[in-house]
Amino acid sequence: MAFEADGGQAAPNFSIGAAVGAAANYVAAGGLNQAAIAKVSAETQKLVSAAKSGGFKISEEGVKPLREALANMSEELSALKIKTMALNDAPKLGGHPYGKAVAAHDHKGAAQSANSANAIIGQFEQVVKDADEALARAAGLYKGVEDRAIDATKKIQA
């Protein structure tokens, strides 16, 4: 789903479809990895930038199902994070050198490398948060939060 520029602004170079499509293509080609998340994150940052600059707007009614889907994704990622906590410990494959070497290799791939499950889940959680921020901004739901933060800052400084 692409959005059109507001008023006389040039059309921003982003779309929700591009971000979702990038993720879907990488999953189909062998799963999410750091490169896939980086591309999806880049598309999402375009969405955030466009929303911050007023480059697109969406009604509260139009944004509701999108934000609900993101909230559901966030919940799924949280549940997945709990399920993958076991990956934080190296598997017990015996005390012999080969068992230790295999356990260390498996642990690195599962929990320590840039493409580990834990790293990818964390990065994808950030993409979901960024997308939700962009949609909230586009729907004008962020304005009240910003105004309250500015007011609180003024009160502290006074």
Side-chain angles (χ1 to χ4, degrees):
M1 154 183 335
F3 294 90
E4 295 184 23
D6 196 28
Q9 297 177 353
N13 182 20
F14 72 87
S15 73
I16 292 174
V20 172
N25 289 338
Y26 281 100
V27 170
L32 283 176
N33 57 34
Q34 190 175 28
I37 294 294
K39 289 189 180 205
V40 173
S41 181
E43 290 298 321
T44 304
Q45 287 306 313
K46 290 179 188 177
L47 191 66
V48 171
S49 295
K52 283 181 177 179
S53 69
F56 81 92
K57 293 185 169 68
I58 186 169
S59 71
E60 285 186 48
E61 297 81 30
V63 79
K64 187 176 180 182
L66 296 171
R67 293 193 71 209
E68 285 175 4
L70 290 172
N72 290 339
M73 176 59 73
S74 184
E75 288 175 20
E76 291 286 329
L77 289 170
S78 292
L80 188 57
K81 216 175 189 179
I82 292 168
K83 290 177 184 176
T84 60
M85 286 177 78
L87 297 175
N88 292 329
D89 298 324
K92 308 289 187 237
L93 300 177
H96 50 85
Y98 181 73
K100 288 179 180 179
V102 171
H105 176 75
D106 286 354
H107 184 240
K108 181 180 178 187
Q112 296 175 333
S113 76
N115 279 324
S116 72
N118 290 341
I120 298 302
I121 291 169
Q123 292 166 7
F124 200 54
E125 282 180 317
Q126 187 59 51
V127 169
V128 170
K129 287 178 186 174
D130 291 346
D132 187 59
E133 176 191 344
L135 292 172
R137 285 180 181 275
L141 302 174
Y142 226 76
K143 180 95 174 94
V145 173
E146 288 177 337
D147 290 344
R148 286 191 296 277
I150 290 168
D151 288 344
T153 303
K154 287 179 183 175
K155 288 178 185 174
I156 291 171
Q157 291 175 350

